[in-house]
Amino acid sequence: SRKGNWLRAAPLYKQAQKMFHDQGNASMEIYAQASQIPAQLETAPQPLSFWLAEINRELSLPAAQNPKTQLHLLQIKGQIENNYDAMLAYKTWQRVERLATQQHDWTLQNRAYGEEAIGLFLLGDLSTAKTHAFGSYARALYLRDSEGRARIASLIGAGEVEFKAYNDALSHLNKAISISKSTPDAAYPSVAVTAKIEALRGLKRYPEALSLCAEAMDVPARRHFKGHLYQVLSTRARVRDDMGDLTGATQDYAQAFEYARQLGYWRGLTEAGGPLATDYERQSQLEKALQIINEALNAQQHIPSEMYFSPRNLAIKADILRKLGRVAESNNLYERSLALVDSLLITAPTPNLVRRIVDDYATVYSGYFDSLCQQHNLPAAFMVIERAYGVVEQHALENRKHVPPHPPTTLEKELTALNLKLVSTDNEERREQLLSTISGVEDQLDSDPWSHSVASHPVALQTLQSDLHPGELLIEYVLADPKSYALAITRESVKPYTLPSREEIQLQTRRYISQLQHQGTDLGVAHKLFQQLLGPIAEFESHPSLIIVPSGDLYLLPFSALHDGKQYVVATHATSIVSAGTVLHMLRRRAAAEAEYRRPFIGFAPWAVESQPKTSPVLSVLSAWRGASGPKKSDFIPLPESKHEVLTGRDEIDKLERTAPSDDQVKIGPDATEAEFKQLPLADYQVLHLAVHGYADIEHPDRSALVFKHSPHETDDGLLQIREIRALHLNSGLVVLSACKTALGPTAEGGVANIANAFLQAGARTVVSSFWPTSDHASRQFMDLFYANLAQKETKAEALRHAAVASMSAGLPPYYWAAFEISGDPDEPLMTKDWNASHTRK
């Protein structure tokens, strides 16, 4: 039973029960009798409530008060409650943990600590759930508890699947399955297998997912194990839904829902009821859909403390009621749903998890937005979507917390040492080992600045309109299925436009991005995307400044490279990105309140060397790339033209401010270290220019970094990672990241986790970043043009646009000029005209 194989243990326990009865050992008789319940859960046609009552009855017997027997029965009770009620399970596993500690059973004590993560997760305390899961896994390694490792790895992987970290999930799930298969007499790892199917589905590896479904259903189908069949059927239904097999998905959901009914499995009813009702709704069977979702919500009343599926189910019922004409009831349910999502956000331990939660409930926000648009209540529709968009940036701007330079802690030293080892090796096996160790240290380093404080306070639509300048058009995209929206906002008007489905838009977007990254110029795709995203918007023609609030993959799309059939958008419009209208409002209000003088410019070019004569312009373009495929030393080649770039930037900004250039304003080569950058009074500088290598990690965005030179005499590793950037104290009007992939990161409805946004969170108001690797020579030429335009007192967005137009006019394809984008406030001037008259240079 310690290996979880209760089915094989049950006959042995039955024999032991008779033996203990004959011996008159009542305590061990109850021990053996209760040990058959986990197997009977699968084989006997009784609901979970029956078995829970049975184990509670046995626990109340005098003979069960023996400490060993009581601990064993409580363990079985916790397993039943895991599938019945999260709050009950959490309290039971706490009792198991305490009793196991008293009995010095450290293996069971640690397993109980890990099991508590299930209840905490379902109760919405995501931060503590994560601590329990990873802490338990580390202790299982120490205790050499392979079965415990397999169980906790399964739970960690299942949690990561819920938040779409599919590759991370597969790593943990494959480990759990491998441990189980290599352990004699271990139980079939059903949790890990089911979660793996979900991960394969998320990665769109549908044939593998269906093959694993068939394997997972073999034994349960032959033995009629309804609990296991429920899990596999509901998982296969999601795969079939994604594949467009609506009939097959509905059949699987309906059968799973029936098994949950028969088992009295309340969580199963709430979990499967939502998608089953949605599939009936898609088939216009509204009354049947309403019946199913009501049953799912009624089941929720039996487990009121579990809230994970409630927001989605409330929103599903709200949409059904809207289609039935019961609009007031629908609005009320949507509001209740969003209030529950807010309560989940409060406990999210990291910004990345905040984004994942918002993305997980994207259909709640988009459904309510769609409903309010159809009710012609645009101010309310805007407020709903703003509660989702840019929530991390909103929180950072409202609660600016900076970490001053300090001696590194023990954990920080450990992470630095590990990163240096990672950078220095190209051996893939060694890198995997190091990355696993780094993950453990990062988990310990994660602070909790977001918990109990993530609350969105969206700007009112009318207020945002007053923030917009004449000629500015803010377009807020809401990608959803079966239709998407673009909300077009100007100083004078607000209008929603209906667009194609999320699936169609993202398909074309990914196709075009792939072409651009490979230096392609397919004008057909560029034109189709223009027609989908900008063509329907009447305000586009009369407003030359576009401020885009993206959704999903649109964060990675350079709108400047869309084509209207005659010319690229960049020829007529300046484009910029901001994560929410509220973020733009906050940036502009902060700029108005912080007009003090600052030092003009600081530039870093750590990889600069003296330029060598080049015999061919083509060779110069291909000679050096400002990017890295991963943090490897071998990737960090010299960038000879970066020195010229930062010197030109300094000269042009000083020309704009009419001050004499100073060598103190640039750091070149060995002087341009990470430690030197972090020690500077960065809040004193108006413009920061970093001509460096860049690295984007999609799976672990906090590892994305700007790569500086590392000095062996300093305590830094040369990797200025996102977690460190967020802690900087900036007050910059402009940060220029002349490095590759600084705009790249995992996208979600809550925003994109990239290096550019980290600088906005640290206090910058505008960031120039890049979508893909750029050549050293092309970057320098583009930045020369950009700074020359700034020196002519152009706005930041116009300066970038004119640099792109000049590059385009020189015959360069979009790959070279569409890589760069403006994030944040595109129009705020770098300085005011009176500064030089009233201030002296610091």
Side-chain angles (χ1 to χ4, degrees):
S1 61
R2 283 260 169 159
K3 295 182 178 182
N5 198 337
W6 296 94
L7 287 169
R8 292 195 64 181
L12 300 176
Y13 276 124
K14 189 172 184 179
Q15 294 176 30
Q17 180 187 353
K18 183 178 184 305
M19 181 184 70
F20 288 129
H21 176 78
D22 293 342
Q23 294 174 356
N25 190 338
S27 177
M28 291 306 296
E29 181 183 354
I30 292 174
Y31 185 110
Q33 180 179 333
S35 298
Q36 299 168 58
I37 291 178
Q40 292 169 331
L41 282 168
E42 291 288 359
T43 58
Q46 299 290 349
L48 291 176
S49 57
F50 171 86
W51 295 113
L52 190 57
E54 180 66 16
I55 196 71
N56 282 330
R57 183 190 66 78
E58 294 188 353
L59 271 166
S60 69
L61 297 174
Q65 304 317 302
N66 173 279
K68 181 179 178 181
T69 300
Q70 185 182 50
L71 179 58
H72 189 66
L73 266 61
L74 284 170
Q75 182 185 359
I76 295 169
K77 181 184 179 189
Q79 292 178 13
I80 299 171
E81 290 171 341
N82 275 347
N83 294 315
Y84 186 82
D85 186 303
M87 179 59 77
L88 292 176
Y90 176 63
K91 291 179 178 179
T92 296
W93 286 115
Q94 282 187 313
R95 288 183 64 191
V96 172
E97 184 186 357
R98 287 194 300 269
L99 289 174
T101 302
Q102 292 170 12
Q103 298 179 33
H104 306 292
D105 188 340
W106 307 119
T107 297
L108 182 54
Q109 182 265 355
N110 183 56
R111 290 190 187 184
Y113 183 77
E115 293 291 335
E116 289 167 22
I118 300 176
L120 289 164
F121 185 88
L122 291 166
L123 294 170
D125 190 349
L126 306 179
S127 176
T128 312
K130 180 181 178 183
T131 300
H132 277 242
F134 282 94
S136 179
Y137 186 81
R139 289 181 211 167
L141 279 171
Y142 175 77
L143 293 166
R144 298 183 180 179
D145 176 16
S146 58
E147 294 83 6
R149 283 177 57 208
R151 171 64 174 170
I152 299 303
S154 298
L155 300 183
I156 292 172
E160 287 170 332
V161 164
E162 290 296 333
F163 293 109
K164 300 182 174 61
Y166 299 120
N167 285 315
D168 278 355
L170 281 177
S171 175
H172 286 105
L173 297 170
N174 285 333
K175 191 177 298 181
I177 293 169
S178 175
I179 293 171
S180 296
K181 287 184 176 179
S182 63
T183 303
D185 295 324
Y188 182 74
S190 57
V191 173
V193 169
T194 304
K196 183 176 179 178
I197 296 168
E198 281 285 6
L200 293 171
R201 165 190 165 244
L203 294 169
K204 302 187 185 306
R205 292 158 58 177
Y206 301 130
E208 293 175 74
L210 290 175
S211 175
L212 194 53
C213 281
E215 174 191 320
M217 287 186 69
D218 181 39
V219 173
R222 283 189 280 110
R223 298 191 180 183
H224 304 288
F225 292 168
K226 295 178 182 178
H228 285 157
L229 286 172
Y230 163 83
Q231 294 292 347
V232 181
L233 282 168
S234 57
T235 304
R236 189 174 71 180
R238 287 188 282 274
V239 176
R240 286 178 163 176
D241 252 340
D242 283 2
M243 296 176 68
D245 181 6
L246 182 58
T247 300
T250 305
Q251 290 173 350
D252 278 351
Y253 278 132
Q255 185 61 66
F257 196 74
E258 179 56 32
Y259 283 144
R261 274 197 193 112
Q262 294 174 16
L263 292 168
Y265 181 26
W266 308 123
R267 189 182 306 141
L269 291 171
T270 65
E271 180 183 23
L276 176 58
T278 299
D279 279 357
Y280 282 135
E281 183 184 2
R282 290 166 62 192
Q283 298 169 67
S284 299
Q285 299 182 52
L286 295 182
E287 292 297 340
K288 195 166 186 177
L290 186 59
Q291 173 194 334
I292 293 295
I293 201 63
N294 279 336
E295 188 172 350
L297 290 169
N298 288 336
Q300 183 69 54
Q301 295 177 17
H302 293 273
I303 45 175
S305 55
E306 293 188 24
M307 58 188 299
Y308 187 75
F309 299 107
S310 294
R312 194 179 296 112
N313 286 346
L314 287 169
I316 290 168
K317 182 174 180 179
D319 193 52
I320 295 168
L321 291 178
R322 177 179 64 84
K323 291 179 179 178
L324 290 170
R326 295 157 63 177
V327 176
E329 293 175 75
S330 172
N331 289 348
N332 179 264
L333 287 175
Y334 271 125
E335 288 293 340
R336 286 173 55 193
S337 176
L338 289 180
L340 288 176
V341 176
D342 284 345
S343 66
L344 280 173
L345 291 173
I346 287 173
T347 66
T350 66
N352 295 324
L353 193 52
V354 168
R355 290 191 178 96
R356 286 179 181 177
I357 291 171
V358 171
D359 195 51
D360 208 37
Y361 294 106
T363 55
V364 176
Y365 296 101
S366 62
Y368 196 16
F369 176 88
D370 174 57
S371 177
L372 290 167
C373 283
Q374 294 193 36
Q375 297 171 49
H376 307 291
N377 190 348
L378 298 184
F382 171 78
M383 292 284 277
V384 164
I385 213 64
E386 284 283 310
R387 288 172 70 173
Y389 287 3
V391 64
V392 171
E393 286 71 36
Q394 288 182 49
H395 172 76
L397 293 172
E398 288 175 348
N399 305 275
R400 295 176 66 187
K401 295 181 180 179
H402 309 293
V403 179
H406 62 281
T409 65
T410 301
L411 280 174
E412 287 170 341
K413 288 179 181 178
E414 185 179 355
L415 185 60
T416 294
L418 289 167
N419 280 334
L420 288 172
K421 290 177 182 177
L422 183 69
V423 167
S424 299
T425 181
D426 289 341
N427 182 283
E428 289 304 321
E429 184 176 350
R430 175 61 175 150
R431 288 175 66 81
E432 284 297 318
Q433 294 172 350
L434 286 167
L435 286 169
S436 177
T437 307
I438 285 170
S439 292
V441 177
E442 287 173 336
D443 288 332
Q444 295 178 68
L445 269 174
D446 275 343
S447 58
D448 196 12
W450 309 93
S451 293
H452 311 293
S453 58
V454 172
S456 181
H457 305 289
V459 63
L461 179 57
Q462 188 175 5
T463 302
L464 177 64
Q465 288 183 273
S466 68
D467 290 331
L468 295 176
H469 303 154
E472 284 185 334
L473 168 62
L474 185 142
I475 308 175
E476 194 140 351
Y477 287 97
V478 181
L479 298 190
D481 293 310
K483 63 182 176 181
S484 302
Y485 278 97
L487 189 63
I489 305 170
T490 70
R491 287 181 66 92
E492 301 84 16
S493 64
V494 183
K495 185 175 180 181
Y497 291 89
T498 302
L499 307 179
S501 70
R502 176 191 187 93
E503 183 178 2
E504 169 62 18
I505 289 174
Q506 296 213 139
L507 176 67
Q508 297 300 327
T509 297
R510 291 167 185 165
R511 182 180 299 172
Y512 190 42
I513 290 170
S514 177
Q515 291 174 358
L516 290 173
Q517 291 175 337
H518 291 87
Q519 304 189 40
T521 54
D522 189 332
L523 294 183
V525 179
H527 182 49
K528 184 167 186 176
L529 272 172
F530 176 87
Q531 290 178 311
Q532 289 179 335
L533 297 173
L534 296 174
I537 301 174
E539 295 83 356
F540 171 79
E541 291 292 339
S542 57
H543 292 79
S545 178
L546 301 182
I547 303 173
I548 305 297
V549 179
S551 172
D553 285 353
L554 296 185
Y555 270 103
L556 308 179
L557 176 69
F559 278 74
S560 61
L562 301 186
H563 201 278
D564 67 3
K566 298 179 181 178
Q567 56 193 346
Y568 286 108
V569 166
V570 72
T572 55
H573 288 73
T575 60
S576 62
I577 298 292
V578 70
S579 57
T582 303
V583 172
L584 179 68
H585 166 77
M586 296 172 77
L587 290 172
R588 289 191 166 171
R589 292 300 168 94
R590 194 174 73 191
E594 298 178 354
E596 76 275 8
Y597 178 83
R598 288 181 293 283
R599 300 178 191 183
F601 183 92
I602 185 71
F604 272 61
W607 301 97
V609 295
E610 292 301 320
S611 300
Q612 300 296 323
K614 297 181 177 66
T615 57
S616 165
V618 173
L619 181 62
S620 70
V621 169
L622 299 177
S623 61
W625 297 89
R626 296 192 183 180
S629 58
K632 296 180 183 179
K633 192 181 230 178
S634 57
D635 291 322
F636 304 143
I637 58 178
L639 302 174
E641 301 199 47
S642 59
K643 177 179 178 179
H644 170 94
E645 181 179 306
V646 296
L647 291 174
T648 299
R650 177 200 65 181
D651 293 346
E652 295 292 356
I653 294 299
D654 284 335
K655 185 189 301 181
L656 176 62
E657 196 167 302
R658 299 193 296 279
T659 58
S662 166
D663 289 339
D664 292 340
Q665 294 170 261
V666 294
K667 304 291 180 182
I668 307 294
D671 295 332
T673 65
E674 180 194 4
E676 173 66 20
F677 178 75
K678 291 197 291 190
Q679 289 293 332
L680 286 171
L682 296 173
D684 291 350
Y685 291 96
Q686 174 72 342
V687 178
L688 304 181
H689 185 102
L690 303 176
V692 297
H693 284 295
Y695 165 64
D697 191 322
I698 302 300
E699 286 295 322
H700 304 89
D702 279 359
R703 294 180 191 166
S704 298
L706 300 176
V707 186
F708 290 75
K709 279 289 179 71
H710 166 68
S711 169
H713 306 295
E714 293 171 344
T715 57
D716 284 302
D717 50 26
L719 303 175
L720 184 66
Q721 296 181 317
I722 279 183
R723 60 164 51 84
E724 299 172 281
I725 295 169
R726 284 197 298 257
L728 298 175
H729 184 195
L730 305 183
N731 196 15
S732 311
L734 175 65
V735 173
V736 179
L737 305 176
S738 187
C740 93
K741 299 182 179 180
T742 47
L744 190 64
T747 61
E749 292 311 295
V752 59
N754 60 17
I755 295 174
N757 268 344
F759 274 96
L760 290 173
Q761 292 166 38
R765 288 190 288 282
T766 308
V767 179
V768 173
S769 57
S770 63
F771 287 113
W772 47 74
T774 56
S775 76
D776 186 39
H777 180 71
S779 294
R780 192 267 293 173
Q781 289 185 322
F782 189 91
M783 289 302 164
D784 285 355
L785 293 168
F786 173 63
Y787 278 109
N789 295 334
L790 286 177
Q792 298 300 313
K793 300 184 179 179
E794 293 186 3
T795 67
K796 289 169 280 191
E798 277 297 316
L800 195 78
R801 182 178 84 84
H802 286 143
V805 168
S807 300
M808 182 175 61
S809 300
L812 292 175
Y815 175 84
Y816 290 99
W817 49 262
F820 299 97
E821 78 162 359
I822 289 275
S823 300
D825 184 353
D827 196 48
E828 181 233 338
L830 280 178
M831 49 203 69
T832 63
K833 62 183 180 181
D834 296 324
W835 280 359
N836 293 292
S838 57
H839 295 82
T840 57
R841 178 107 175 254
K842 292 184 180 179

